[in-house]
Amino acid sequence: MALATFARSGLRRGRGRGGDAAIGSFARETNALCEGASTHKFPLPSVENFTNMSYIASIRKVDHMNLWSRGIRTTPQNLSAQAAEIIAVDSDSEYESPRYPSLEATKPGEKPRVVVLGTGWAACRFLKGLDTKIYDVVCISPRNHMVFTPLLASTCVGTLEFRSVAEPVSRIQTALAKDPNSYFYLASCIGVDPDKHEVYCEAVGHAGLSHEPYRFKVAYDKLVVAAGSEPLTFGIKGVKEHAFFLREVNHAQEIRKKLLLNLMLSENPGVSEEEKERLLHCVVIGGGPTGVEFSGELSDFIMRDVKERYVHVKNYIRVTLIEANEILSSFDVGLRQYAMKHLTKYGVRLVRGVVKEVHSKKLVLNDGSEVPYGLLVWSTGVGPSDFVKSLNLPKSPGGRVGIDEWLRVPSVEDVFAIGDCAGFLEQTGRPVLPALAQVAERQGKYLVELFDKIGKQKGGSAFSAKDISWGDPFVYKHLGSMATVGRYKALVDLRQSKDAKGVSLAGFISWLIWRSAYLTRVVSWRNRFYVAVNWATTLVFGRDNSRI
Amino acid sequence: MALATFARSGLRRGRGRGGDAAIGSFARETNALCEGASTHKFPLPSVENFTNMSYIASIRKVDHMNLWSRGIRTTPQNLSAQAAEIIAVDSDSEYESPRYPSLEATKPGEKPRVVVLGTGWAACRFLKGLDTKIYDVVCISPRNHMVFTPLLASTCVGTLEFRSVAEPVSRIQTALAKDPNSYFYLASCIGVDPDKHEVYCEAVGHAGLSHEPYRFKVAYDKLVVAAGSEPLTFGIKGVKEHAFFLREVNHAQEIRKKLLLNLMLSENPGVSEEEKERLLHCVVIGGGPTGVEFSGELSDFIMRDVKERYVHVKNYIRVTLIEANEILSSFDVGLRQYAMKHLTKYGVRLVRGVVKEVHSKKLVLNDGSEVPYGLLVWSTGVGPSDFVKSLNLPKSPGGRVGIDEWLRVPSVEDVFAIGDCAGFLEQTGRPVLPALAQVAERQGKYLVELFDKIGKQKGGSAFSAKDISWGDPFVYKHLGSMATVGRYKALVDLRQSKDAKGVSLAGFISWLIWRSAYLTRVVSWRNRFYVAVNWATTLVFGRDNSRI
């Protein structure tokens, strides 16, 4: 039932841009506290909990509007006693404005500052193109690199190395590292105040800074929200606890470690046949491109590496792909059939089913059948993150940040949203675009051209773009989809939409197209070189199975 | 005071073979329980704690000797209730022998089984050469790869990639993956019973096996203990909590993450000058080759990558190397002076001092001075692991497993020890060899030739090598030492001992020798290729700074 939803929406959901999953995960923790935030239900601070609430209270003092109603998210109860005290002292001594560490607003005559939230496809395409002669730029994200998501599945089994698919953001936009007024902050954004033109952030990691969590604010002239999405779990019990997602490099690292661990543990003396079968049962939930490509990579790994290098247990390893509806539902029917035939031929069991609940060693389907597993990868598409949900900005159908045809967030000034976290508002009459890398990238490219235009018209500073000519709105043209199914075979679907006609290919030639297309898309020459070298060494030497 | 010790012993201590640090770390946890083990002080199980102690008790039932007195280490109090129960049931139902999962002893007519503990230099050299037509082999280690330790320091800053210095053990000895009766077990050895010819093991990781920790026993015909050593901390308070060691790939990964984290956090708005200086103060304790090479790599990284890519904070980063005595004390005096001059020139501050205690943000020297730090790497040599200490076998001066000239452990049959964990017994009249890769490798090579010899004389099975001619004893000839000091400079000291005369070189040519020597020593062609590729891309593109 729950899974039935995702298959319908089709078109490469689950293929992660993955921009800011950690923002999501931060947000998740604090969700319970803030659930009522955007609907004004958060209780006013009482006298009793003043110390803990002093930051909020101090904001209230200076601000006639309740910040909560404008999407500010903080986690007062989570503040350590020490941090709360510091803030309390600050707000006592400086009644007018709490002395939160901050990057102050730019002054007249200075370059306007663009703040970008995220380091996914949309954010990085925008950053790459930004004219740093016109703008200073601050990028805020809990990870300092972009992930080349279409190749992430290949890293789980070692076809590619992790670093070959990660691109440091300071290489994509060198101003972040070099320009005196441009910065990259390794932090999660926890709130936006569009009126004050400020974002609130919490630094990642623990390094013993003066107070932790280390919070600060950054003033912007223009804000680009490209904070990505979160994996959908449909509220199914046990998914977050027991399944692996596949959207970040560390997810791929964990999957690889788990797979190698299970292969080795199943060789231990005394492990029963049944237990070996469970340990080596790899279950993939979701038949979108990520799920299919991961299954294909796994079957490749089994055919070539496990058969040769884990001889004692090679007959126990199996891959099952569970999908509620049809695999690769956005692809041409001929390609779908090809994919199913190919996967089945190389040992991937395709099961139509809906997951009811997940336990540590087995999952239960809606029909009551139980599926024991050793590794569970969950890839059923993405939805708005808790951070996006918490923002008190207009929303698109489906709960993303609502944008107009120029990717602006209406009702507030100088805020733009792109990528997975953004969707056209209902009143634009346009459909919400699929959560695809190519959508995100195109939006980043469009927006940076728009910024160039408004910058040249002196509209770059805060509150100064009212009388600007915005030019042509954003138009998305789908270029088609690709997916590999393993064993040197791939699908290429060049139709512009699900129901359109057009060229579609499957087989070895498609696989060559798939590889060359992605190789040219890899951002830097360094990684392009490493991807090629990884592919070559995998071919010659097989995959590395050091568990590091 | 405490640190004064390590500098004296010289000769590349701290250069980790690092074979089985995790064995050590397991052992450390259980140390409190077993401290009295080798001296017979462990209390007999009383009636009250019978359930928990049933495993021990059941061994006692079948065995006239107290196993503790022969070096068995188990951790009864650590057993989960469930595991304890299983063992209790087992020992009830099978009075004679607890039904511990096991790899049973070989039968007459079968190939004799060699059990190797460890995957460091000694173990891997032995494994590589073992004639699997004569022997079956079982390797037991908490890591499934060998680490090419001389190049580990380079991976901390990204000059080399982690996988380029890790070699899967199943590639070094393919029989482990392929032969029907040879195995690799990802486990820590927790005890040895030389009389029964069995080792006791605990599987690494949690995969939901029938009972966890998952323990099993393996019978051997011949046992090779190559379980490595542990970093020395001299009981200094706070070292284990706050400092990083540098002996395993995951240590290097953590150091790299921490360094990049500190670089990024120090850019946060509002971080004080003092705090930036602390965060970016990298302190290395111990001036052996590991400490010096790591300092050199850091200074390289700062000169080239930080200056270009962390412009906002580049003036705050510093490296301090603290040593109680002289750096590189085993090297020729000319080379030492060269190294000191070179390091100082490139910004490494050399401090003579002894660490008294370590706190989370600062360390205190014996003279009372305080040194704030952001990253602390501890590399003051190695000593016997708790596992080695717990074994009730003869010991060498310094507490290693005592061996004779043929690397045999006398007083028990069919047990051999090589590498860091082994030392010549006092009665052999030979000195304990330094904890060096070349010692370990040479011992592995010698021992495998010995095994070939006794195998061919039908002495491979348990208790069958009494009348074998053992041939020439092991003789160690030191080939010299090398160390890089960063910025394309290295030291090469070809003297056979500290006080001998011989060739010694320093500078660029030495650096070329250093690089080519290690490149040819890298185990596999795959990694040789990757090391070369990493070096080339570091030269062309600089180091990768994705924090993954």
Side-chain angles (χ1 to χ4, degrees):
Chain A
M1 185 195 75
L3 270 195
T5 338
F6 83 89
R8 259 177 265 134
S9 74
L11 271 178
R12 307 216 101 180
R13 303 219 300 177
R15 166 58 115 250
R17 228 90 44 260
D20 279 26
I23 286 188
S25 85
F26 166 84
R28 218 176 296 137
E29 289 164 25
T30 63
N31 196 22
L33 296 173
C34 305
E35 258 171 359
S38 57
T39 47
H40 300 235
K41 281 180 205 147
F42 199 88
L44 290 175
S46 65
V47 178
E48 288 76 40
N49 58 5
F50 179 81
T51 313
N52 269 346
M53 301 296 283
S54 57
Y55 164 57
I56 305 301
S58 66
I59 290 180
R60 281 172 198 282
K61 285 179 206 159
V62 290
D63 208 15
H64 60 284
M65 263 186 79
N66 179 348
L67 285 191
W68 286 106
S69 69
R70 286 182 286 112
I72 298 284
R73 305 193 72 209
T74 54
T75 54
Q77 274 91 331
N78 274 0
L79 285 175
S80 71
Q82 195 198 355
E85 200 177 336
I86 286 166
I87 287 170
V89 169
D90 283 348
S91 51
D92 281 351
S93 57
E94 295 254 343
Y95 185 85
E96 283 306 292
S97 137
R99 217 189 302 131
Y100 231 30
S102 67
L103 190 64
E104 300 292 342
T106 55
K107 295 185 182 64
E110 288 181 349
K111 277 199 263 183
R113 180 188 303 140
V114 182
V115 171
V116 179
L117 306 182
T119 45
W121 281 92
C124 286
R125 184 61 190 82
F126 177 87
L127 286 168
K128 188 182 167 196
L130 191 68
D131 187 345
T132 51
K133 289 196 208 81
I134 304 180
Y135 296 98
D136 282 325
V137 58
V138 173
C139 176
I140 299 165
S141 169
R143 68 176 198 205
N144 78 337
H145 55 275
M146 178 196 158
V147 180
F148 195 83
T149 42
L151 296 180
L152 191 58
S154 301
T155 66
C156 298
V157 294
T159 311
L160 290 177
E161 275 317 316
F162 302 118
R163 266 167 215 282
S164 307
V165 303
E167 196 68 60
V169 65
S170 63
R171 297 248 176 182
I172 292 172
Q173 176 48 270
T174 53
L176 291 169
K178 290 182 178 176
D179 281 12
N181 296 313
S182 289
Y183 296 95
F184 172 78
Y185 295 140
L186 192 75
S188 297
C189 182
I190 56 173
V192 176
D193 184 340
D195 291 349
K196 281 183 148 183
H197 274 48
E198 283 175 352
V199 294
Y200 299 87
C201 306
E202 188 170 301
V204 162
H206 294 278
L209 289 172
S210 54
H211 53 277
E212 284 187 334
Y214 190 82
R215 295 193 178 148
F216 57 90
K217 60 181 185 183
V218 177
Y220 61 81
D221 289 292
K222 300 271 180 271
L223 176 66
V224 178
V225 183
S229 54
E230 242 175 55
L232 287 173
T233 61
F234 312 100
I236 297 168
K237 216 181 94 189
V239 178
K240 282 181 186 163
E241 292 78 6
H242 305 299
F244 291 93
F245 298 117
L246 183 45
R247 292 166 48 79
E248 300 285 346
V249 170
N250 69 313
H251 298 160
Q253 287 171 326
E254 284 163 21
I255 290 171
R256 188 161 168 181
K257 275 197 171 177
K258 181 75 177 173
L259 185 62
L260 293 175
L261 180 68
N262 287 355
L263 275 164
M264 287 185 277
L265 289 189
S266 60
E267 293 204 33
N268 278 343
V271 175
S272 67
E273 302 283 297
E274 193 187 349
E275 192 68 2
K276 278 184 204 176
E277 281 183 358
R278 177 188 74 77
L279 274 172
L280 297 179
H281 189 203
C282 306
V283 177
V284 183
I285 310 292
T290 305
V292 166
E293 290 190 351
F294 178 67
S295 306
E297 287 285 351
L298 264 180
S299 103
D300 255 22
F301 173 67
I302 293 166
M303 302 292 284
R304 161 124 193 221
D305 297 79
V306 175
K307 293 255 182 284
E308 260 186 27
R309 288 154 74 185
Y310 296 90
V311 169
H312 307 106
V313 294
K314 64 176 182 189
N315 296 328
Y316 297 95
I317 192 163
R318 282 176 310 140
V319 183
T320 300
L321 176 59
I322 301 181
E323 163 62 67
N325 208 312
E326 276 185 288
I327 66 162
L328 299 174
S329 58
S330 69
F331 280 75
D332 182 83
V333 59
L335 298 185
R336 286 208 297 269
Q337 282 164 355
Y338 178 90
M340 286 170 68
K341 223 173 103 183
H342 182 87
L343 288 170
T344 310
K345 183 174 164 195
Y346 287 102
V348 177
R349 204 161 57 109
L350 300 176
V351 170
R352 199 166 285 200
V354 174
V355 177
K356 194 172 141 202
E357 54 193 39
V358 175
H359 304 274
S360 67
K361 296 183 189 183
K362 66 176 183 194
L363 55 85
V364 183
L365 296 180
N366 253 7
D367 63 9
S369 56
E370 298 191 344
V371 184
Y373 69 84
L375 173 71
L376 178 63
V377 174
W378 193 270
S379 162
T380 60
V382 295
S385 66
D386 287 343
F387 169 70
V388 163
K389 284 184 204 157
S390 79
L391 292 172
N392 193 21
L393 294 171
K395 296 285 161 68
S396 75
R400 304 190 191 184
V401 176
I403 49 174
D404 67 12
E405 294 90 333
W406 291 269
L407 314 183
R408 301 175 301 191
V409 179
S411 85
V412 292
E413 238 175 300
D414 299 322
V415 180
F416 301 79
I418 51 179
D420 282 9
C421 69
F424 288 120
L425 285 162
E426 205 158 6
Q427 56 261 40
T428 62
R430 297 184 180 204
V432 171
L433 294 170
L436 290 179
Q438 59 175 309
V439 172
E441 212 194 5
R442 230 74 61 71
Q443 290 184 334
K445 185 164 182 277
Y446 170 85
L447 192 63
V448 81
E449 284 163 7
L450 197 72
F451 268 56
D452 199 41
K453 201 178 292 167
I454 58 181
K456 282 176 180 155
Q457 295 178 68
K458 307 281 174 212
S461 299
F463 304 109
S464 68
K466 277 200 186 93
D467 309 317
I468 293 291
S469 114
W470 292 90
D472 296 329
F474 172 76
V475 178
Y476 175 66
K477 192 166 162 250
H478 188 66
L479 290 182
S481 311
M482 293 189 289
T484 169
V485 289
R487 308 302 297 166
Y488 314 118
K489 298 286 189 293
L491 318 176
V492 175
D493 187 341
L494 297 178
R495 301 172 309 148
Q496 279 189 30
S497 75
K498 214 190 144 172
D499 307 309
K501 295 209 170 197
V503 180
S504 59
L505 294 167
F508 181 68
I509 300 291
S510 300
W511 181 82
L512 285 182
I513 295 173
W514 177 84
R515 279 219 161 168
S516 11
Y518 279 139
L519 192 59
T520 58
R521 306 297 297 155
V522 170
V523 184
S524 69
W525 281 103
R526 183 188 182 282
N527 278 0
R528 211 166 290 163
F529 174 69
Y530 266 113
V531 167
V533 163
N534 290 162
W535 277 340
T537 47
T538 296
L539 199 68
V540 177
F541 301 106
R543 297 165 174 88
D544 179 63
N545 65 343
S546 308
R547 187 169 177 266
I548 55 173
Chain B
M1 186 197 73
L3 270 195
T5 339
F6 82 89
R8 256 176 269 134
S9 74
L11 270 177
R12 307 217 100 179
R13 300 220 300 176
R15 166 60 114 249
R17 229 89 45 261
D20 281 25
I23 284 186
S25 83
F26 166 83
R28 216 178 297 136
E29 291 164 24
T30 63
N31 196 22
L33 296 173
C34 306
E35 257 171 1
S38 58
T39 48
H40 301 236
K41 282 182 204 144
F42 199 87
L44 290 175
S46 65
V47 179
E48 289 75 40
N49 58 8
F50 179 80
T51 314
N52 270 347
M53 301 296 283
S54 55
Y55 164 57
I56 306 301
S58 66
I59 292 181
R60 281 171 199 282
K61 285 179 206 160
V62 291
D63 208 14
H64 61 284
M65 264 186 79
N66 178 347
L67 285 193
W68 285 105
S69 70
R70 286 182 287 111
I72 297 285
R73 303 196 72 209
T74 54
T75 54
Q77 273 92 332
N78 274 0
L79 284 174
S80 71
Q82 194 199 355
E85 200 177 337
I86 286 165
I87 288 170
V89 169
D90 283 349
S91 52
D92 281 350
S93 57
E94 295 255 343
Y95 185 85
E96 284 303 292
S97 138
R99 218 190 301 130
Y100 233 29
S102 68
L103 189 65
E104 299 292 344
T106 54
K107 294 186 182 64
E110 288 181 349
K111 278 200 262 182
R113 180 189 303 141
V114 181
V115 170
V116 180
L117 306 182
T119 46
W121 281 91
C124 286
R125 183 61 190 81
F126 177 86
L127 285 168
K128 188 181 167 197
L130 191 67
D131 187 345
T132 50
K133 287 196 210 78
I134 303 180
Y135 296 98
D136 283 324
V137 58
V138 172
C139 176
I140 299 165
S141 170
R143 67 176 199 205
N144 78 336
H145 56 275
M146 177 196 159
V147 180
F148 195 82
T149 42
L151 295 179
L152 191 58
S154 301
T155 65
C156 298
V157 295
T159 311
L160 290 177
E161 277 317 316
F162 302 118
R163 265 169 215 283
S164 308
V165 303
E167 196 68 60
V169 65
S170 62
R171 297 248 176 183
I172 293 171
Q173 177 47 270
T174 52
L176 292 170
K178 291 182 178 176
D179 280 13
N181 297 313
S182 291
Y183 296 95
F184 172 78
Y185 295 140
L186 192 75
S188 298
C189 181
I190 55 174
V192 175
D193 184 340
D195 290 350
K196 282 184 148 180
H197 274 48
E198 282 176 352
V199 295
Y200 300 86
C201 306
E202 188 170 299
V204 162
H206 295 279
L209 289 172
S210 54
H211 55 279
E212 283 187 335
Y214 189 83
R215 296 194 178 146
F216 56 90
K217 61 181 184 182
V218 177
Y220 61 81
D221 289 291
K222 299 272 181 271
L223 176 67
V224 178
V225 183
S229 54
E230 240 175 55
L232 287 174
T233 62
F234 312 100
I236 298 168
K237 215 182 95 189
V239 177
K240 283 181 186 164
E241 293 78 8
H242 305 300
F244 292 93
F245 298 118
L246 183 46
R247 293 165 48 77
E248 299 285 345
V249 170
N250 68 313
H251 297 160
Q253 287 171 326
E254 283 163 21
I255 290 171
R256 188 161 171 181
K257 276 197 170 176
K258 180 77 176 170
L259 185 62
L260 293 175
L261 179 68
N262 287 356
L263 276 164
M264 288 186 275
L265 289 189
S266 60
E267 293 204 34
N268 278 343
V271 176
S272 68
E273 302 284 295
E274 193 188 349
E275 191 68 2
K276 278 184 204 175
E277 280 182 0
R278 178 189 73 77
L279 274 173
L280 297 179
H281 190 202
C282 307
V283 177
V284 183
I285 310 292
T290 304
V292 166
E293 291 190 349
F294 177 68
S295 307
E297 287 285 351
L298 263 180
S299 104
D300 255 24
F301 173 68
I302 293 166
M303 302 292 284
R304 161 124 194 220
D305 297 80
V306 175
K307 292 256 183 286
E308 260 187 30
R309 288 154 74 185
Y310 297 90
V311 170
H312 307 106
V313 295
K314 65 176 183 188
N315 296 328
Y316 298 94
I317 192 164
R318 283 176 310 139
V319 183
T320 301
L321 176 60
I322 301 180
E323 162 61 67
N325 208 313
E326 276 186 287
I327 67 162
L328 300 173
S329 58
S330 68
F331 281 74
D332 181 83
V333 60
L335 298 185
R336 284 208 298 270
Q337 283 164 355
Y338 178 90
M340 287 169 68
K341 223 173 103 183
H342 182 87
L343 287 170
T344 311
K345 183 175 165 194
Y346 289 101
V348 178
R349 204 160 59 107
L350 299 176
V351 170
R352 199 168 286 198
V354 174
V355 177
K356 194 172 139 201
E357 55 193 37
V358 176
H359 304 274
S360 67
K361 297 182 187 183
K362 66 175 183 193
L363 54 87
V364 183
L365 296 181
N366 253 7
D367 62 9
S369 57
E370 297 191 344
V371 183
Y373 69 85
L375 173 72
L376 179 64
V377 173
W378 194 269
S379 161
T380 61
V382 295
S385 66
D386 288 342
F387 168 70
V388 164
K389 284 182 202 156
S390 78
L391 292 172
N392 193 21
L393 295 171
K395 295 285 160 69
S396 76
R400 305 189 191 183
V401 176
I403 49 174
D404 67 12
E405 294 90 334
W406 291 268
L407 315 182
R408 301 174 300 191
V409 180
S411 87
V412 294
E413 237 176 301
D414 299 323
V415 180
F416 302 79
I418 50 178
D420 282 10
C421 70
F424 287 120
L425 286 162
E426 205 159 6
Q427 57 262 38
T428 62
R430 299 186 179 201
V432 169
L433 294 170
L436 291 177
Q438 59 175 308
V439 173
E441 212 193 4
R442 230 73 62 73
Q443 290 184 331
K445 185 163 181 279
Y446 170 85
L447 192 62
V448 80
E449 284 162 7
L450 197 72
F451 268 57
D452 200 41
K453 201 179 296 168
I454 57 181
K456 282 175 180 156
Q457 295 177 67
K458 308 281 174 212
S461 300
F463 305 108
S464 67
K466 277 198 186 97
D467 309 316
I468 293 292
S469 115
W470 292 91
D472 295 330
F474 172 76
V475 177
Y476 174 68
K477 194 169 159 245
H478 187 66
L479 290 182
S481 311
M482 293 190 290
T484 169
V485 289
R487 310 298 301 164
Y488 314 117
K489 298 287 189 294
L491 319 175
V492 175
D493 187 343
L494 298 178
R495 300 172 311 150
Q496 279 189 29
S497 75
K498 214 189 144 172
D499 307 310
K501 296 210 168 190
V503 181
S504 59
L505 293 167
F508 181 68
I509 301 289
S510 300
W511 181 82
L512 286 181
I513 295 174
W514 177 84
R515 279 219 162 169
S516 11
Y518 279 139
L519 192 59
T520 56
R521 305 297 297 154
V522 170
V523 185
S524 68
W525 280 105
R526 183 187 182 281
N527 278 1
R528 211 165 291 162
F529 174 70
Y530 265 113
V531 167
V533 163
N534 291 163
W535 277 338
T537 47
T538 297
L539 199 69
V540 178
F541 302 105
R543 295 166 176 87
D544 179 63
N545 64 343
S546 309
R547 188 168 177 267
I548 54 175

